[in-house]
Amino acid sequence: FDSKWKQQLPLLPNKVGLICGRNSDAEKDVLENARRRWPSVQFEIREVAVQGADAVIQVTAALKELDNDPDVDVIIITRGGGSFEDLLPFSDEGLVRLAASCKTPIVSAIGHEKDSPLLDLVADYRASTPTDAGKKVVPDLQEELLFIDALRNRAERTMTSRLDRESDRIKSLFDRRIAFVHRLKLAEEDLQHLLARVRSLSPQSTLERGYAVVQRLDGKAIRRAKDVASGDKVRIRLAQDQLSATIE
């Protein structure tokens, strides 16, 4: 009976097992409400005696058969209301123990809400009526479609927002790149101007304009005539070469 032993019902069962009375209103309620919610739902139906001496035997056999069917994902055991004696088969110890040991989730929909056989306490879900059982085992198609549309719209808004942010980020990077290229071009122009000034002020530039540098043999430049005497050896440095000379 403890809730820790209860199994979760499948969201969308491959096939629903149904144990019910022959041509019963409970069977019609389950089928009608389940198919109204999910038109393509499939059922594996076992019509059995649901009261009297054979009820326990037939319900037990049907439950074992459906529990061993790999295509059945959930089992509904249902019947309409009745007297206390009519519902006694669903409090049978053997049937209750079998239900507790089943690997397939079980929905109990026995009688009306006020009725409470022991099977209700062992089942993974206790439905108040057969109608409730039909609604519980499958999702509502229209609700699911609306939910999917809401998820799709949410995903589209999320992706649009993300794309807008990425687009803004790329545009910002592009603008920064243009600004960087512009600054780089200005820096290059400044460098060219600086190089031109350096070249115009360099000794080599002066030599290329036809000037020469007179140096002692030790490389020291001669700036005044009195720094040399007659007979001193000097070197005259030109733009492309150098000459040797003697002071007279």
Side-chain angles (χ1 to χ4, degrees):
F1 295 164
D2 197 304
S3 59
K4 70 180 180 181
W5 302 112
K6 307 297 183 184
Q7 301 184 70
Q8 200 72 14
L9 300 186
L11 174 63
L12 182 59
N14 177 56
K15 188 176 288 186
V16 179
L18 177 60
I19 301 173
C20 56
R22 293 177 179 85
N23 297 318
S24 64
D25 290 337
E27 175 184 359
K28 294 174 184 176
D29 286 346
V30 170
L31 296 179
E32 180 181 339
N33 283 280
R35 287 169 177 164
R36 186 181 298 160
R37 290 168 63 83
W38 198 271
S40 61
V41 61
Q42 297 184 40
F43 280 90
E44 189 68 29
I45 302 173
R46 297 293 181 271
E47 294 183 340
V48 299
V50 290
Q51 69 181 58
D54 293 335
V56 173
I57 296 173
Q58 293 186 25
V59 172
T60 298
L63 181 57
K64 288 181 179 178
E65 186 177 348
L66 292 176
D67 188 45
N68 290 323
D69 188 338
D71 293 331
V72 174
D73 294 330
V74 61
I75 300 170
I76 299 174
I77 304 174
T78 187
R79 65 149 287 161
S83 66
F84 177 77
E85 291 75 13
D86 291 340
L87 303 182
L88 275 178
F90 299 97
S91 292
D92 179 82
E93 181 179 354
L95 176 59
V96 170
R97 288 188 179 277
L98 173 62
S101 66
C102 284
K103 61 182 181 294
T104 308
I106 293 176
V107 175
S108 175
I110 308 301
H112 303 296
E113 190 169 2
K114 61 182 177 60
D115 300 316
S116 184
L118 293 181
L119 181 63
D120 281 353
L121 304 178
V122 173
D124 298 289
Y125 178 78
R126 189 247 176 175
S128 58
T129 61
T131 297
D132 182 35
K135 293 179 178 179
K136 184 63 181 180
V137 293
V138 291
D140 187 299
L141 178 60
Q142 294 303 319
E143 289 181 2
E144 295 302 315
L145 291 176
L146 290 174
F147 180 64
I148 291 172
D149 284 342
L151 289 178
R152 183 184 292 112
N153 292 335
R154 181 179 176 184
E156 288 177 355
R157 288 195 301 269
T158 301
M159 291 304 299
T160 300
S161 176
R162 183 172 299 177
L163 288 173
D164 288 343
R165 289 198 302 270
E166 290 301 313
S167 177
D168 291 341
R169 187 178 69 86
I170 292 172
K171 184 177 181 301
S172 176
L173 290 174
F174 185 72
D175 292 342
R176 288 168 60 187
R177 179 182 177 276
I178 292 176
F180 177 75
V181 170
H182 180 66
R183 288 197 298 269
L184 189 62
K185 184 177 181 180
L186 292 178
E188 184 178 5
E189 291 175 354
D190 289 343
L191 180 59
Q192 293 299 329
H193 294 157
L194 181 61
L195 286 174
R197 290 179 61 192
V198 169
R199 286 170 181 159
S200 66
L201 297 174
S202 70
Q204 182 65 33
S205 179
T206 302
L207 294 176
E208 288 176 353
R209 290 200 299 270
Y211 292 92
V213 178
V214 181
Q215 298 173 308
R216 294 182 183 276
L217 296 181
D218 59 6
K220 186 176 181 180
I222 300 172
R223 293 180 172 81
R224 296 172 299 180
K226 65 179 183 178
D227 291 338
V228 294
S230 179
D232 287 346
K233 301 290 186 180
V234 294
R235 285 184 302 184
I236 303 172
R237 183 177 175 183
L238 307 175
Q240 301 295 327
D241 210 339
Q242 63 180 16
L243 300 172
S244 296
T246 301
I247 299 299
E248 294 181 353

